[in-house]
Amino acid sequence: MTQAKRMPQRSPVAPVDCNLARTFEVIGDKWSLMILRSVLYGVVRFDDIQADIGVTKSVLSSRLKRLCDAGFLQKETYKIKAERARNEYVASPMAHALTVPFIGLTQWADHWLDEREEKPVRFRDRRDQSDLRVALVNDDQEIVDLRDVSPVFPQTS
């Protein structure tokens, strides 16, 4: 007796329609993420970014162009006396909006990948110096446990 061929399972939203997949297309490679990390930490000059993350000049140049073209970074010219003008790569509002997901990834890695007691970076509220953590909150500003999160996918015809 032959078994019916099993149909492959598909995610409820096709990658072509998924904003998470679209994000991965733009910033999902290691070097783009590392560049954004450096810029959000305040490292904004080409040579400094290269030294910070250890990327080749050609890869850095192509990723910076892509991140600028996509609206994540903005070039600003600076000039040091007796040198030619150069560009700094400043985070746009779009890049700054990645701060929360990046903090979330950092805290995930702190929990799952780093066994050190003292973590290399913590995030604090400037007003009272209390530690911060990323959480999901509902409309009533209550923290929601991940077990209670349910994605909703619009019905398509």
Side-chain angles (χ1 to χ4, degrees):
M1 187 173 217
T2 62
Q3 290 185 347
K5 187 173 182 177
R6 182 183 168 283
M7 293 298 292
Q9 185 176 359
R10 304 270 187 220
S11 58
V13 60
V16 69
D17 295 323
C18 178
N19 287 330
L20 184 58
R22 289 178 61 205
T23 302
F24 293 161
E25 287 179 26
V26 179
I27 64 166
D29 70 279
K30 172 187 174 179
W31 294 120
S32 294
L33 290 166
M34 293 295 287
I35 291 164
L36 288 168
R37 173 199 160 275
S38 291
V39 169
L40 290 171
Y41 280 154
V43 181
V44 296
R45 294 182 176 175
F46 187 98
D47 293 339
D48 295 339
I49 296 169
Q50 183 186 19
D52 191 39
I53 65 175
V55 64
T56 65
K57 287 184 179 187
S58 62
V59 170
L60 179 56
S61 183
S62 71
R63 294 312 188 282
L64 287 170
K65 180 179 181 348
R66 183 169 49 173
L67 291 168
C68 287
D69 290 348
F72 287 94
L73 300 178
Q74 299 167 339
K75 285 194 236 182
E76 292 184 4
T77 304
Y78 73 94
K79 184 167 176 18
I80 298 174
K81 191 175 180 176
E83 291 188 20
R84 67 177 172 85
R86 296 175 185 240
N87 291 318
E88 291 181 330
Y89 297 89
V90 179
S92 70
M94 183 190 299
H96 277 292
L98 286 170
T99 300
V100 171
F102 279 22
I103 291 172
L105 283 170
T106 301
Q107 292 174 346
W108 174 87
D110 287 349
H111 179 81
W112 294 102
L113 304 177
D114 191 341
E115 295 179 5
R116 294 176 288 189
E117 184 143 339
E118 185 66 28
K119 305 305 179 191
V121 63
R122 290 172 35 202
F123 301 93
R124 290 197 170 151
D125 186 326
R126 288 182 191 189
R127 299 168 295 182
D128 65 4
Q129 295 302 304
S130 59
D131 285 336
L132 299 173
R133 63 184 163 81
V134 174
L136 296 172
V137 296
N138 63 21
D139 290 341
D140 295 325
Q141 303 304 310
E142 300 165 327
I143 293 176
V144 178
D145 188 280
L146 284 176
R147 293 174 294 218
D148 296 321
V149 174
S150 174
V152 177
F153 304 100
Q155 298 296 321
T156 57
S157 44

